[in-house]
Amino acid sequence: MENPSKIMEGGVEYSLGKFDGQSVKYDFPKILVYLDAKGKLLFGNRFKIYKSDKEILLKLCSYFIKDPINCKKYEIDPNKGLLLSGPVGCGKTSLMKLLPNLVPHQRKYVVMPCRNIVFAFNHLGYKTIEDYGESGVFCFDDIGVEPIGRYYGKDCNVIGEILLSRYELFLHTPLKTHGTTNLNADELEEKYGERVRSRMRELFNLIAFNQNAPDKRD
């Protein structure tokens, strides 16, 4: 049987904990060692795990490995998606690309910038909303700062419509929706309206960086 507590990267074997033949007892410090190494492979040698991010990482890791104790402690529902919020440059997108590597046996999501989806809508129209709203597993990157869509002279709040469709999808299938955003709850409601904001509460576990988190791109 394949041992899910071991992962090979770049010819090096990393241990994430202990496997008893049925389940993995994960070891958070070992997970951080692996994430640091995998992050450097994905994003370059400037990538590093910051001490100030360890609580955020513990919550994110608990979600991905479905740790029942920590999920309960942090009020995380593993059946819902993730909305990772925080200021520009704090590392949201990188972490949402990195963390699924902890659980290679689970279905991966596709990270899609919201502005790219709106540009597709401007060319292709409402089929774009169907493509992203009615199937697949996605992480919508930078929710709330995308422009309004416009197709044949008619404006459309594209991501808002997609989120409403994703909510209906969530009610009837196990398909999750994930996202990142720089905006707070009030700003999201101003962008999309109270109805979409309400649906987002049902779709997502909110995990937030401190608003004073530094820009790691400097």
Side-chain angles (χ1 to χ4, degrees):
M1 177 186 290
E2 189 174 329
N3 186 340
S5 72
K6 308 283 187 187
I7 297 182
M8 291 290 295
E9 294 289 354
V12 179
E13 182 180 79
Y14 293 90
S15 171
L16 305 180
K18 294 182 179 179
F19 182 54
D20 64 7
Q22 297 292 324
S23 61
V24 178
K25 184 176 182 180
Y26 286 94
D27 183 319
F28 186 56
K30 289 182 178 179
I31 286 176
L32 292 182
V33 170
Y34 167 71
L35 290 176
D36 185 67
K38 182 63 175 177
K40 285 178 168 58
L41 288 172
L42 288 174
F43 309 117
N45 286 331
R46 289 188 62 193
F47 178 88
K48 70 174 184 175
I49 299 294
Y50 289 79
K51 287 183 180 179
S52 57
D53 292 344
K54 283 190 177 178
E55 185 176 1
I56 284 272
L57 281 164
L58 178 57
K59 292 177 182 178
L60 290 171
C61 291
S62 298
Y63 172 84
F64 279 97
I65 66 177
K66 299 180 180 177
D67 180 296
I69 295 173
N70 278 329
C71 282
K72 184 176 182 180
K73 176 181 177 181
Y74 294 114
E75 298 182 337
I76 294 170
D77 182 347
N79 296 310
K80 293 162 63 169
L82 283 178
L83 181 62
L84 184 57
S85 74
V88 172
C90 67
K92 301 181 297 296
T93 305
S94 295
L95 290 181
M96 290 303 286
K97 291 179 177 178
L98 175 62
L99 268 294
N101 292 284
L102 278 179
V103 283
H105 53 285
Q106 292 183 18
R107 181 175 180 176
K108 294 285 195 293
Y109 50 74
V110 178
V111 178
M112 282 299 302
C114 288
R115 61 185 289 111
N116 291 14
I117 297 172
V118 174
F119 293 154
F121 172 86
N122 293 345
H123 289 286
L124 303 172
Y126 289 87
K127 181 181 183 300
T128 303
I129 293 175
E130 294 176 12
D131 289 345
Y132 290 101
E134 297 181 4
S135 63
V137 184
F138 296 101
C139 175
F140 298 115
D141 195 28
D142 269 346
I143 291 174
V145 295
E146 76 283 350
I148 288 291
R150 190 169 180 83
Y151 186 67
Y152 279 94
K154 187 174 181 181
D155 288 349
C156 178
N157 194 325
V158 177
I159 301 302
E161 292 297 325
I162 288 173
L163 290 171
L164 289 174
S165 296
R166 297 295 302 186
Y167 173 73
E168 295 300 321
L169 185 69
F170 175 66
L171 292 179
H172 300 105
T173 74
L175 295 178
K176 298 176 185 176
T177 305
H178 307 289
T180 72
T181 186
N182 303 332
L183 305 186
N184 61 35
D186 291 339
E187 291 167 331
L188 287 168
E189 186 167 326
E190 184 178 342
K191 173 80 176 185
Y192 298 117
E194 200 281 327
R195 182 174 175 228
V196 173
R197 176 70 189 117
S198 173
R199 299 295 186 266
M200 291 177 77
R201 291 189 193 99
E202 300 297 318
L203 277 173
F204 297 122
N205 295 285
L206 175 62
I207 295 180
F209 278 89
N210 187 300
Q211 283 305 305
N212 296 319
D215 188 334
K216 299 180 177 75
R217 298 176 300 188
D218 290 342

